[in-house]
Amino acid sequence: MPLFYGVGLLRCFILSFWASTLPFERSSGYLLAIAAFALLGIAPYVLTKRGYGGPVVVAAFVLLDACLLTYILIVPPSFYVEGWTPQINLRLTNFLFMAIFLVSMALSNSPWLVVWAGVASVLACTGGFLWIAGLPDTVLSSSRDTLDTGMSPEAVIRLFLDRNTVSVTAFSSQIVFLVLTTLILAVTVWRSRHLVRSQVAAWQLRFEDLRPTCGR
């Protein structure tokens, strides 16, 4: 677990260095968000060290991380151009930052924490999507609506370029991506732990076999 927390802080440091290269009116918000992530990463470690934490505390802070990241990814900053909408943010590849957050959980070497991080990511992303979908100016669309209803090519392109359009199909693909990534990472972490335990057991058995010979 210390490696997991250390890598999390290193990730925040690298992002803060990147943010510092931006104009201050842009970087200030990112730096505050990075500081918040750093605090959320340190807090469970400190609480656990002092006996106030455990799996429940770590899981709660992971959920907070996922919610904060989702908020940052879907809510347009104040320095964006006028007319930029949260619906546009859903079209960007911002969800890949959520994938980075999820992949970093593999460093915890804990299958349950990887699975929970995946669940938290899906819940946070779904909550953000439902919030945007419920906005009065949101226009929901899907591949079935655009391709199977006889819409003209011009109408399909016009719908896609509408700044208030939200694609249910694209969101579903992102959720499937997060779920598959979670399963692959969880199995990989579980397998690595199993291999290490098998190797340790084999070395212990070999040592016990050699101990009578060494004592002669």
Side-chain angles (χ1 to χ4, degrees), residues 32-40 61-75 98 101 124:
L32 288 175
I34 292 170
F37 280 119
L39 291 176
L40 288 176
F61 277 95
V62 168
L63 180 59
L64 285 176
D65 271 344
C67 293
L68 177 59
L69 181 57
T70 300
Y71 176 84
I72 294 172
L73 295 179
I74 66 176
V75 177
M98 186 65 76
F101 161 77

Side-chain angles (χ1 to χ4, degrees), residues 29 36 115 136 175:
V115 172
I175 295 299

Side-chain angles (χ1 to χ4, degrees), residues 173-187:
S173 299
Q174 294 175 9
I175 295 299
V176 170
F177 172 82
L178 291 176
V179 171
L180 291 178
T181 302
T182 299
L183 293 177
I184 293 172
L185 288 174
V187 172

Side-chain angles (χ1 to χ4, degrees), residues 38-55:
L39 291 176
L40 288 176
I42 295 174
Y45 177 72
V46 174
L47 290 174
T48 302
K49 277 290 187 179
R50 297 188 176 184
Y52 298 105

Side-chain angles (χ1 to χ4, degrees), residues 100-156:
I100 294 175
F101 161 77
L102 181 56
V103 170
S104 66
M105 290 297 165
L107 296 174
S108 67
N109 202 30
S110 173
W112 80 264
L113 188 56
V114 172
V115 172
W116 172 244
V119 172
S121 300
V122 170
L123 290 176
C125 290
T126 302
F129 175 83
L130 292 177
W131 171 69
I132 294 178
L135 295 177
D137 55 351
T138 295
V139 179
L140 295 176
S141 69
S142 67
S143 58
R144 181 176 297 275
D145 294 334
T146 57
L147 300 178
D148 297 343
T149 57
M151 293 180 63
S152 65
E154 293 78 9
V156 171

